[in-house]
Amino acid sequence: MTMAHFGVDFSEGKAGDVATVIPNDKIDGETIAWCPNGSGGGWMTGIWFRSRQDKIYRIGPGDLASITAIDTTKWSANVCATALKTGDIWAAKALDGYVIFKVTTVASDSAGVANAANWPATVEYKFSTTTKFN
């Protein structure tokens, strides 16, 4: 899936774009080009995922299939130092469950971010209504 600034609904497997509007009450989050949680800043230096629930943490690089559960005590109040990076896995609270996603493509330098309309990030993901993933 390629998510962007138009929002994403992980439970339905939908990413918004100019032609596809996701209802506001279904959006789990969106990509942005500034730090969403913490000390702020970072404008146009990277792409971050802003969770609608403000609950997110970076798991790190790895194999998405090997993750079977997330630890909700690790939600981060400051993700400014960790913009999305190819290969990284993130956990986030969705409106109706939980998601883990691995970034497969994203602009990571200020020039790439500035040239990326709506800040896309291509991800592989798993959604669950609980903190456990099969």
Side-chain angles (χ1 to χ4, degrees), residues 4-105:
H5 191 58
F6 295 100
V8 62
D9 178 350
F10 289 109
S11 65
E12 292 188 13
K14 294 180 180 176
D17 59 34
V18 173
T20 308
V21 177
I22 296 177
N24 193 44
D25 63 342
K26 296 219 174 224
I27 294 174
D28 294 318
E30 65 186 335
T31 59
I32 56 176
W34 60 91
C35 177
N37 298 68
S39 57
W43 177 254
M44 298 300 282
T45 61
I47 295 173
W48 286 263
F49 180 74
R50 175 169 51 189
S51 166
R52 181 83 174 269
Q53 300 293 319
D54 287 331
K55 298 193 182 308
I56 187 167
Y57 72 91
R58 180 181 167 269
I59 295 171
D63 179 14
L64 189 65
S66 69
I67 299 171
T68 58
I70 60 170
D71 181 352
T72 60
T73 67
K74 293 185 176 183
W75 297 135
S76 179
N78 191 353
V79 296
C80 293
T82 52
L84 299 180
K85 183 172 81 172
T86 299
D88 275 354
I89 299 170
W90 289 80
K93 174 72 177 95
L95 291 176
D96 50 358
Y98 300 86
V99 64
I100 50 176
F101 63 86
K102 180 174 184 171
V103 180
T104 58
T105 308

Side-chain angles (χ1 to χ4, degrees), residues 67-70 98 100 126-134:
I67 299 171
T68 58
I70 60 170
Y98 300 86
I100 50 176
K126 292 198 271 184
F127 173 83
S128 176
T129 56
T130 72
T131 59
K132 300 197 182 307
F133 298 85
N134 295 335

